[in-house]
Amino acid sequence: MKFSYNWIRELVADLDCAPAPLERLITMKTAECEGIEPAGALLAGAVIAHVETAEPAAGHNVTAIVNLGPLGRKTVVCGAPNCRPGLTTVWAPVGRKIIDGVESDGMLASGAELGINKDHSGIIEIEGAPGDPVPGCAPDSIIEIDNKSLTHRPDLWGHVGMAREVAAILGHKLVDPVKPDLLPRTASRVRIAIEDLDLCPRYSALEFDNVKVQPSPVWLQYRLSALGLNPISNIVDMTNLLMAELPQPTHAFDADKLSGDTIFIRPAHPGERFRGLNDEDYTLDASNLVIADASGAIALAGVIGGASTAISDKTTRVVLESANFQAASVRKTSSAVKLRTDASIRFEKAQDPANTVRALARAVELLREISPGIRIVGGVADQMKEMPAPPPIELRLEWLRRKLGRALEPAEVRRILERLEFGVAESKPGVFLVSVPSWRATKDVSMADDLVEEVGRMIGYDSIAPVAPLVAAAVPPANPERKFQHEVRDVLVDLGFTEVYNYSFVSEEAVRAFGFAPEAHLRVSNPIASDQALMRASLLPGLWHNIQENAKHRELFRIFEIGLEIHKREQGLPEEVPHLAAALFARQGDGAAGLDEIRHAAECLMPGAQAQPAAAAPCEHPARAADLFWKGERVGRVFELHPSLIETGRAAVLDLDLDRVRALAGAAELRYTPIRRYPSSAFDLSVIAGLRDPAGELQSKVRSFAGPLVESVEFLRQYSGPPLEAGQKSVSFRLTAGSPERTLSNDETTAIRARIIEGMRALGYDLRV
Amino acid sequence: MSEDSIRELVAGSLERIRAARTLEELEAARVEVLGRKGALAIAGKEMGKLPPDARAAFGKLLNGAKQTLEQSYEARKRSLDEGALSRRLDGEWLDLTLPAPGPRRGHLHPITRIQRELEELFRSLGFAVLDGPEVETEYYNFDALNIPATHPARDMQDTFWLEGGNLLRTHTSPVQVRGMERLGPPLRMIAPGRVFRNESVDASHEHTFYQLEGMMIDRDVSVAHLLYFMKTLLAAIFHREVTVRLRPGYFPFVEPGFELDIQCLICGGPGCPVCKQSGWVELLPCGLVNPNVLRMSGIDPGEWNGFAFGLGLTRLAMMRYGIDDIRHLQGGDLRFLEQF
Ligand SMILES: [Zn+2]
């Protein structure tokens, strides 16, 4: 939102604060300023000039002699096609320079150069006495305020509201531009029929005739241009001025194009068609509020006027609408038709219904100036909802002190609130009853907490000294999930893995490459790009991308990510499962070393975890994939990425469900067991098995025959080659047997050994003993 | 044997012992002189032939010679042993300047580093660290935070909507609500985490970034307390005193709401490009918790109140490490990540 410093100066009596300090004050007490831009810089010293002679010079230029009245005559070389004797225009003192051998003093300027409008087809044509300043046009400073910081302040979308803030901050008086007495008291000719007073709490209108549509005076053009608006014609410019000033959106209908004498405010009929001023066609439904005449919709309430009743050069009669619409309804319609206008942005903030007739009064004054001869037809048509004033807010000053953490004199609180035009009555000592002005009552201020802000910002938060809070000492509840994830990170970093973060979005393509079904993924309705439309149900596609990218400049690397898998559920929120995905990429080698290392990482995280061969998924090396089990539960997977998924090299991957791992890690409480007093004895066994018989399975089988006296069965080594037959290997284990109560006898150990050998032989395994 | 010949024998043997270059030569010398059949042993046997009065003196002489030679032998043997050991050990020379084998230590993500630092800081101040889902309901992300569907504040946050009507949380504030519901007052909590906004990505904008939400609810919490707390917190984050200021800021879940600025750490106030010449850098939104928010989470605003703040972890990490392109953070490039 842009504010003209000159305009604010007109609205605040005796404003004596320059733009830069004013901007700082507004930032500290009201809303965030984003900067100050100059406007109309060329107007400094510019005066009305009368062109007396214009002799052709080099090229398209002419050498003009201009009369500046009391300032004398100047010779100016000018390139504008409309520079001709008899023209009244604007001369600006930009210094002397030689152009085509002629000394040119100053310049004749176009409307665009002066910042008055967008016209740069020639120098401006204007009325006035030579030597006079350009009426109502002086260099200005435009203060830009962050719209987000005005979300809750409907009143600050216009200059009067901001001027009221400035007046309150500086202790000056606000100059209200509205003269309510200008409104006629007679009966209205226009009739208004509001169907739902909740959607349209107030609709006011006034009819004018003898209207002359023509360009606005330069001051009005300049005022709008300085705020970045385009001057169009006097009537339209006037409505834009009201919006930037009060800030009441209004709309002018060409009265001759209206059917019937009644304006209806009603929900659109289902499928009702409407063509806007922007020449777009809209198909409406009952959730859209329209303004209609006997023939149909003539405006989309609070959003845009219609093409069929638009003002044109030929317009002579106008019905000026000044209405109030429900913020939610305007917002809904505006987003449904995807059209945000200056009007809809203001209505969305819940405008003050009291402003509709104020805007009409202001319009009367403006129209008399900018469309001379205009006449009011009848009186003000005004239909409105009963709106009792909200009850005053009770403000206990002791409570206010506790909220701010600073004591305040009751007189100071009263002065602050009254400057902001709140009504203040003291109901009992230390308690104020505060009534809220209509422009703050629609949404912004409704409870005592809102008044804390009013007082706080005006005394300045820098006047509040920091105080240490007195709170009970308490040990905060633990977050074991997060703590565990940090521990996992530390283990992996110690093992040489570097942490990556990937997006939660994945592409269908990546999902398919991993053999997952896109339809099993939760879909984003409004994705940032079509390849980021699915929520990740696995961290692996992201990690795959990291592997491909980093393989471009690395021979060997280790990465991991801890993040959430998002799994679609029939109802409610999806399931979010924290996972660890780690990968080791090596350009050289056959991939076995990488798998060893990644399995070692798994062992560091889950001592004693067991891999169990499992059928490979499409993204996995068909002969190098296994489920990981820990304490009897499946917790994840270890595999080599399918070699066809990477250009060169091998990638070993670990994927763990961290919720399960954490549950298992935390399950067993540590208990000390006494160190054994009796020696145990060890012996080795070698099982002859097929080359692809998993050693882990052989080990569990040996274990299953070992009995309670065997403390451990450890893998020692495996061997294949002569004297073994081709396709065979020998897998050796070391068994340790013992008892906490005694030393085992030779016979006992021999019996254990014999039992295992017998058991394994029964399963078809030969044993080397 | 005469006494003189004994002395001669000692002198000669000492010379041989000292001159022995190997343990073998030394052993040979020892056997010849000190061995059971060596020169001194033979001389000892001859002692019996001497007259009784001469025996004592001769015996003493022999003993002295034996001692002298044994000492010399031991000394020489030690020296030869030590030489042998040091030659063997010298052969075991290793180049300890070679890089140690095994992988180098990996690296934590910069956001993880900052986040952990803050988690520890807040825990030390008695704050619980809470988590909430990344996929949220409209209720927790908006309604419970005093942002109803028709509220224009929803425009302030470009939301990713999901099929089925849920959304990706646009801020970590829903965890406030979940925290209040779960733990109730009094409450001190933070919620760091990933949030999403539907924004195009460039060097300074991301659709995925990290926030840290904080909240304290107690019987009597004021703006003065908020100021104290923020100063303490920021001094710990920046490792030095910081000057802060509050100015009005609008966030529906707080009332009053503030933008907290810190005095520019680069120029210290006079103005520089980092602070856009203003001397201040906007750091975090905060405020007193809106009573409607408390009420919706089942907390009586007549009895309890509190403050809340939101810290941009991504922005903080970029400030701390001088990262000039936000896209690095989720780019997965090891050349970037290995710097942390
Ligand atoms: Zn600075």
Side-chain angles (χ1 to χ4, degrees):
Chain A
M1 177 72 192
K2 289 177 168 159
F3 290 91
S4 151
Y5 174 77
N6 287 352
W7 199 345
I8 289 174
R9 205 165 49 180
E10 287 172 23
L11 296 169
V12 178
D14 310 316
L15 179 62
D16 51 2
C17 186
L22 185 66
E23 185 221 23
R24 280 196 290 278
L25 277 173
I26 293 173
T27 291
M28 289 310 292
K29 297 191 182 284
T30 303
E32 182 174 344
C33 298
E34 293 181 315
I36 303 180
E37 294 290 333
L42 201 57
L43 288 163
V47 292
I48 306 276
H50 186 75
V51 180
E52 294 186 331
T53 62
E55 299 300 327
H60 297 292
N61 289 349
V62 295
T63 305
I65 294 178
V66 295
N67 181 353
L68 303 183
L71 297 180
R73 289 185 167 72
K74 303 280 183 192
T75 302
V76 184
V77 175
C78 178
N82 62 338
C83 184
R84 59 182 188 271
L87 177 72
T88 303
T89 183
V90 173
W91 174 87
V94 295
R96 292 161 202 250
K97 62 177 169 183
I98 308 291
I99 302 172
D100 303 331
V102 179
E103 190 187 69
S104 177
D105 185 358
M107 70 179 280
L108 303 179
S110 69
E113 284 165 329
L114 292 165
I116 289 173
N117 53 36
K118 293 274 185 299
D119 185 2
H120 45 72
S121 63
I123 52 178
I124 191 166
E125 306 196 8
I126 196 171
E127 284 165 19
D132 280 1
V134 188
C137 301
D140 200 354
S141 297
I142 304 302
I143 300 174
E144 174 113 39
I145 309 257
D146 178 15
N147 284 353
K148 283 180 189 171
S149 69
L150 300 176
T151 307
H152 60 312
R153 291 292 301 267
D155 59 321
L156 293 189
W157 290 78
H159 280 69
V160 169
M162 188 55 79
R164 186 183 289 113
E165 287 286 319
V166 171
I169 292 168
L170 296 170
H172 291 227
K173 281 228 151 11
L174 175 72
V175 180
D176 188 356
V178 176
K179 303 184 181 76
D181 295 345
L182 292 178
L183 289 176
R185 304 261 172 231
T186 48
S188 68
R189 269 200 1 183
V190 184
R191 261 181 275 185
I192 292 164
I194 303 176
E195 194 165 301
D196 184 339
L197 283 165
D198 286 330
L199 298 178
C200 176
R202 189 169 195 178
Y203 195 99
S204 316
L206 189 56
E207 187 180 340
F208 298 88
D209 73 2
N210 209 29
V211 173
K212 197 169 164 222
V213 176
Q214 61 185 24
S216 296
V218 288
W219 70 262
L220 176 49
Q221 295 191 33
Y222 175 55
R223 185 135 283 179
L224 297 179
S225 295
L227 299 178
L229 298 165
N230 279 343
I232 295 164
S233 70
N234 53 354
I235 307 298
V236 177
D237 294 352
M238 184 272 301
T239 61
N240 280 330
L241 188 87
L242 294 178
M243 185 150 59
E245 187 174 57
L246 292 179
Q248 173 66 42
T250 56
H251 179 69
F253 297 105
D254 186 329
D256 290 321
K257 295 178 186 166
L258 292 173
S259 316
D261 59 358
T262 305
I263 292 175
F264 301 93
I265 298 95
R266 58 162 172 83
H269 305 308
E272 186 165 4
R273 308 274 297 172
F274 167 74
R275 172 168 290 188
L277 279 170
N278 55 359
D279 279 330
E280 294 282 329
D281 286 311
Y282 299 96
T283 305
L284 307 175
D285 61 45
S287 71
N288 310 129
L289 191 69
V290 296
I291 315 303
D293 63 6
S295 67
I298 54 171
L300 201 48
V303 182
I304 195 168
S308 67
T309 54
I311 301 288
S312 73
D313 296 349
K314 300 177 190 68
T315 300
T316 60
R317 292 202 308 129
V318 161
V319 170
L320 186 64
E321 162 197 295
S322 183
N324 187 268
F325 302 108
Q326 187 199 61
S329 159
V330 171
R331 189 183 145 76
K332 214 188 295 171
T333 297
S334 153
S335 56
V337 302
K338 294 189 173 60
L339 179 63
R340 300 198 75 209
T341 57
D342 288 330
S344 74
I345 288 169
R346 283 172 175 78
F347 280 124
E348 276 180 14
K349 312 295 184 288
Q351 288 297 325
D352 177 9
N355 237 350
T356 63
V357 286
R358 279 170 50 80
L360 292 178
R362 178 78 173 124
V364 169
E365 184 184 18
L366 288 166
L367 287 170
R368 282 181 179 154
E369 180 190 345
I370 65 177
S371 178
I374 196 166
R375 282 194 306 260
I376 301 174
V377 181
V380 176
D382 189 15
Q383 191 185 350
M384 65 191 287
K385 186 182 172 182
E386 280 296 319
M387 279 173 285
I393 298 168
E394 188 184 77
L395 180 63
R396 287 170 289 123
L397 297 181
E398 167 54 20
W399 177 85
L400 177 67
R401 183 197 65 74
R402 275 173 45 211
K403 278 280 183 179
L404 288 174
R406 200 203 110 167
L408 285 164
E409 287 300 319
E412 190 180 5
V413 176
R414 175 188 285 272
R415 192 174 64 243
I416 286 170
L417 292 171
E418 286 179 346
R419 273 186 189 170
L420 289 163
E421 299 188 42
F422 289 86
V424 180
E426 193 164 12
S427 62
K428 48 190 161 198
V431 181
F432 285 167
L433 287 179
V434 180
S435 45
V436 183
S438 62
W439 56 87
R440 301 294 302 278
T442 50
K443 202 162 210 171
D444 177 17
V445 179
S446 59
M447 56 184 177
D449 300 80
D450 297 321
L451 299 175
V452 176
E453 169 150 51
E454 297 304 303
V455 175
R457 67 194 178 96
M458 285 296 161
I459 59 170
Y461 295 117
D462 53 355
S463 74
I464 298 174
V467 175
L470 283 173
V471 292
V475 176
N479 185 336
E481 295 85 358
R482 197 171 268 268
K483 183 163 172 277
F484 180 69
Q485 288 176 18
H486 284 322
E487 287 165 5
V488 171
R489 284 189 176 93
D490 287 338
V491 170
L492 282 155
V493 166
D494 286 346
L495 292 172
F497 289 78
T498 291
E499 188 179 24
V500 298
Y501 281 19
N502 285 306
Y503 291 133
S504 301
F505 306 119
V506 285
S507 68
E508 285 197 26
E509 190 195 0
V511 160
R512 283 213 184 84
F514 277 77
F516 306 137
E519 49 296 351
H521 288 68
L522 191 59
R523 191 171 281 275
V524 184
S525 309
N526 56 336
I528 202 103
S530 59
D531 64 350
Q532 299 185 42
L534 303 181
M535 298 307 296
R536 60 178 178 183
S538 162
L539 305 190
L540 299 177
L543 217 59
W544 175 44
H545 179 74
N546 301 142
I547 292 169
Q548 289 172 305
E549 288 302 308
N550 284 299
K552 288 173 187 165
H553 22 251
R554 293 288 159 105
E555 291 285 309
L556 174 72
F557 56 84
R558 301 164 183 84
I559 53 175
F560 76 99
E561 179 176 15
I562 289 180
L564 293 174
E565 287 189 356
I566 306 222
H567 295 286
K568 199 160 138 177
R569 270 201 284 229
E570 280 305 306
Q571 281 189 332
L573 290 175
E575 189 186 8
E576 298 186 4
V577 189
H579 264 245
L580 161 74
L584 187 148
F585 170 87
R587 191 184 311 285
Q588 308 297 332
D590 63 1
L595 279 166
D596 280 350
E597 205 180 315
I598 209 113
R599 287 189 302 123
H600 174 246
E603 167 66 26
C604 289
L605 291 170
M606 306 173 292
Q610 284 289 333
Q612 280 192 14
C619 61
E620 298 171 345
H621 188 303
R624 295 178 172 186
D627 280 330
L628 273 175
F629 281 78
W630 194 32
K631 301 181 182 174
E633 248 193 78
R634 189 183 170 280
V635 290
R637 208 155 165 91
V638 62
F639 61 92
E640 184 180 313
L641 200 62
H642 198 293
S644 67
L645 286 173
I646 31 180
E647 232 166 81
T648 57
R650 307 282 191 141
V653 178
L654 173 69
D655 183 10
L656 290 181
D657 178 332
L658 286 185
D659 265 353
R660 286 198 196 163
V661 176
R662 183 185 59 80
L664 296 167
E669 247 183 61
L670 285 181
R671 298 296 293 178
Y672 153 82
T673 46
I675 296 165
R676 293 200 163 182
R677 287 197 294 153
Y678 301 95
S680 41
S681 49
F683 58 92
D684 295 353
L685 279 177
S686 297
V687 184
I688 310 300
L691 263 184
R692 291 195 174 195
D693 285 351
E697 284 177 15
L698 297 176
Q699 186 169 356
S700 345
K701 283 169 182 158
V702 168
R703 174 82 252 183
S704 71
F705 298 117
L709 292 175
V710 170
E711 295 160 17
S712 68
V713 180
E714 274 176 89
F715 171 81
L716 269 189
R717 71 186 86 83
Q718 61 178 3
Y719 170 80
S720 61
L724 295 172
E725 286 171 31
Q728 281 196 330
K729 66 177 173 187
S730 151
V731 185
S732 306
F733 299 99
R734 171 153 302 164
L735 291 86
T736 311
S739 160
E741 284 110 27
R742 61 201 158 80
T743 307
L744 295 190
S745 68
N746 268 345
D747 288 351
E748 281 174 304
T749 343
T750 311
I752 292 170
R753 201 177 140 93
R755 189 169 65 233
I756 297 171
I757 291 169
E758 192 185 334
M760 290 303 283
R761 285 203 169 127
L763 292 178
Y765 294 100
D766 197 4
L767 271 88
R768 292 282 156 88
V769 291
Chain B
M1 254 184 145
S2 70
E3 292 186 6
D4 282 348
S5 62
I6 295 291
R7 285 194 188 94
E8 238 170 73
L9 176 70
V10 168
S13 299
L14 280 175
E15 190 48 42
R16 271 191 76 182
I17 288 169
R18 283 195 201 105
R21 281 177 297 115
T22 64
L23 284 167
E24 289 74 28
E25 282 178 29
L26 180 64
E27 182 61 11
R30 185 190 69 81
V31 170
E32 258 178 60
V33 194
L34 293 165
R36 270 191 295 145
K37 291 175 182 168
L40 285 182
I42 294 166
K45 282 178 190 150
E46 285 177 3
M47 195 167 61
K49 297 174 188 168
L50 289 178
D53 56 337
R55 274 184 207 167
F58 192 77
K60 207 174 167 189
L61 180 68
L62 271 185
N63 270 338
K66 198 179 172 195
Q67 265 180 22
T68 307
L69 288 174
E70 275 175 350
Q71 276 168 13
S72 166
Y73 166 81
E74 289 301 331
R76 187 61 192 151
K77 181 160 190 304
R78 238 184 345 263
S79 143
L80 284 176
D81 279 346
E82 276 166 16
L85 180 65
S86 65
R87 265 192 310 283
R88 179 162 67 79
L89 296 186
D90 185 61
E92 293 173 4
W93 178 83
L94 285 179
D95 185 353
L96 297 181
T97 68
L98 286 174
R104 305 297 90 161
R105 199 162 189 274
H107 305 263
L108 284 175
H109 194 279
I111 300 269
T112 300
R113 290 173 62 111
I114 289 276
Q115 188 179 310
R116 264 200 201 186
E117 191 181 314
L118 290 173
E119 283 174 20
E120 276 157 32
L121 173 64
F122 277 101
R123 274 196 69 81
S124 74
L125 293 166
F127 279 64
V129 183
L130 301 186
D131 283 303
E134 290 178 359
V135 175
E136 264 297 2
T137 62
E138 224 178 322
Y139 175 78
Y140 281 105
N141 196 73
F142 289 127
D143 301 72
L145 292 162
N146 207 28
I147 316 174
T150 54
H151 201 292
R154 287 215 182 175
D155 292 344
M156 290 157 66
Q157 305 186 347
D158 298 305
T159 310
F160 280 113
W161 293 93
L162 301 172
E163 57 174 350
N166 290 321
L167 50 84
L168 294 177
R169 64 176 177 191
T170 57
H171 42 197
T172 39
S173 313
V175 191
Q176 273 186 20
V177 182
R178 292 179 179 277
M180 285 189 284
E181 287 178 354
R182 187 156 70 86
L183 301 171
L187 176 64
R188 271 172 282 172
M189 56 148 283
I190 58 160
R194 176 180 279 214
V195 301
F196 308 83
R197 302 268 172 100
N198 196 334
E199 272 192 41
S200 331
V201 176
D202 63 29
S204 48
H205 296 90
E206 251 291 2
H207 55 61
T208 301
F209 54 99
Y210 295 81
Q211 279 187 344
L212 185 149
E213 190 80 8
M215 180 183 238
M216 171 165 137
I217 296 190
D218 218 299
R219 300 243 172 227
D220 206 3
V221 178
S222 70
V223 176
H225 296 145
L226 169 68
L227 267 170
Y228 173 88
F229 195 85
M230 288 297 141
K231 273 181 76 80
T232 307
L233 166 69
L234 294 171
I237 291 177
F238 292 106
H239 309 301
R240 56 169 141 159
E241 274 299 302
V242 290
T243 307
V244 307
R245 70 173 192 189
L246 295 182
R247 53 185 173 82
Y250 174 64
F251 311 96
F253 34 99
V254 286
E255 185 64 56
F258 314 112
E259 290 285 3
L260 182 141
D261 300 337
I262 57 168
Q263 197 161 61
C264 180
L265 296 173
I266 306 298
C267 68
C272 72
V274 170
C275 58
K276 294 178 196 138
Q277 306 304 333
S278 72
W280 296 91
V281 176
E282 183 176 318
L283 193 70
L284 58 89
C286 53
L288 299 186
V289 182
N290 191 304
N292 294 334
V293 172
L294 293 174
R295 215 171 279 126
M296 266 185 281
S297 298
I299 295 176
D300 178 3
E303 219 179 309
W304 303 94
N305 59 0
F307 63 71
F309 58 90
L311 196 60
L313 284 179
T314 301
R315 188 137 163 278
L316 203 58
M318 292 177 75
M319 277 168 79
R320 167 74 66 85
Y321 302 117
I323 299 167
D324 58 358
D325 191 333
I326 197 168
R327 289 169 292 198
H328 283 315
L329 294 169
Q330 262 130 167
D333 190 332
L334 287 166
R335 295 170 298 179
F336 169 78
L337 295 166
E338 284 172 357
Q339 297 181 32
F340 300 96

